[in-house]
Amino acid sequence: MRLPDKRPRALTLALTAVGVLVAAVLLVGAFLVATGGSDDGGSAKESLNTDFTEPQKFDLDEVYDDSGFSCEARDTMCVRKFLVGVTADYGPRASLPVLERLQREQRVDLSVNDHDLAHAVGRETAKDFGSNFDAFDLCPTIFNYGCSHGFFEYVLARTDTPKEAATTVCETVSGDKKRLLISGFSCYHGVGHGVMMAQAYDVQESLNTCNTLPNFPAQEGCWQGVFMENVNAGMSGRARKGVFSEKDPLAPCDKVAKKYKYQCFINHSGWLMRVAQNKVEAAAGYCLHVKGKERTACMQSIGLMVTNPVWQAQLSRNAGKRSQSAVAWELCSRFPAAGRENCVIAGVDNLANFDQLKADRQKAFCAEITGRLKDPCYERIGVNLLNRTKDEPTLRSSCAVLGPKAVLCLRGAGIAA
């Protein structure tokens, strides 16, 4: 049996699984976007620099050793100021990996909101290196795309319309346009978040704004950002009255126009978990009432959570006691039989979004799976790799870490063993 659906949708699905956790940190940006204001007092036109400036070259170990970090582990303001300073010199590809290391060495406590810190890094990136795609493309995807979101907060606060912000950033591409496969969709996803905040969480008006963007991939990326921000609002009590309903857990996705349903359902898991009180089997059961490919999106929305350690802590009593891979398969096993395959697809996709061309965590997840979905899981790794590169030597190298299962990975990537 072969896992279906090879569309490169998987490139951005990781955003969905953790999107409901970022609502609180977007409030400051929402005010700036809605008012068109600037956080440094300058006018919108005068304060937006669209010229790209290359960050200083750096050695990450040297940056870490020479940084002079002296904050208390839970002092958020101090850590934020430190990261902004590192970003100003070396860019987000230095500051955010430094934050990862500070967390590993317990010099920054995990209770400090790292997504919020990444927002600050993103704003600084746009300010120092230019409000353009090349600068946006500096943002790593770690910390739940917080750098990308913060980057757009900065630009949206300094342009007259979300469409202008989108054009300013997402269409200023130089060099290899293949980068748009990953970063371009993420770029327009960020627009969607900003559009919702600017439209005071009016879903339909936000979608209408997305539809003014230049092409379908741009519009679809924007839709995804709109629906994720809508779920954020629903989880934090900021959604418009009547948008969500505990009596109809599938709302508003069962009511929006058909062309929007996929992106709505693929972002709906946070609300379903709230209604289901974090019971995976109950949340997935709601998806059984959805028809066609939208049911697939609904199931996969929940599946994205199973390989996310933050969600694992809420969904399984075994989180922290067993390996993350083992917990992920345990959670997939709670799905109804009709949705288990979609859980495996989304579980692999989520890891691939974070790990890109590294397959070690996906390998560990597939190793835990029992029964008929085990081999297709390995094949799905190849599908995700192919979505990120067409270079055959790179694909072979990435699949090689699977050992004897590499042949299945290569099959998924469309390469003969």
Side-chain angles (χ1 to χ4, degrees), residues 194-261:
V195 166
M196 270 290 276
M197 293 184 287
Q199 295 287 358
Y201 294 90
D202 186 319
V203 175
Q204 190 56 56
E205 282 303 310
S206 297
L207 294 172
N208 291 342
T209 301
C210 290
N211 292 338
T212 68
L213 297 177
N215 52 56
F216 179 74
Q219 294 166 14
E220 189 178 38
C222 183
W223 298 343
Q224 187 184 86
V226 164
F227 286 119
M228 183 186 293
E229 183 59 30
N230 191 44
V231 170
N232 292 343
M235 296 292 289
S236 61
R238 292 179 291 121
R240 290 203 169 192
K241 186 177 181 180
V243 172
F244 293 96
S245 169
E246 294 196 4
K247 293 182 179 179
D248 177 13
L250 300 176
C253 300
D254 56 356
K255 296 179 175 62
V256 297
K258 186 172 180 58
K259 67 178 181 178
Y260 303 127
K261 285 184 181 294

Side-chain angles (χ1 to χ4, degrees), residues 315-357:
L315 303 179
S316 173
R317 294 179 180 179
N318 290 317
K321 300 176 184 177
R322 302 176 64 192
S323 70
Q324 291 180 6
S325 299
V327 171
W329 175 236
E330 169 209 316
L331 293 173
C332 277
S333 298
R334 297 185 195 172
F335 274 62
R340 206 162 295 153
E341 182 175 329
N342 287 312
C343 182
V344 172
I345 290 174
V348 174
D349 289 352
N350 183 56
L351 293 173
N353 274 296
F354 285 101
D355 298 347
Q356 299 296 309
L357 297 175

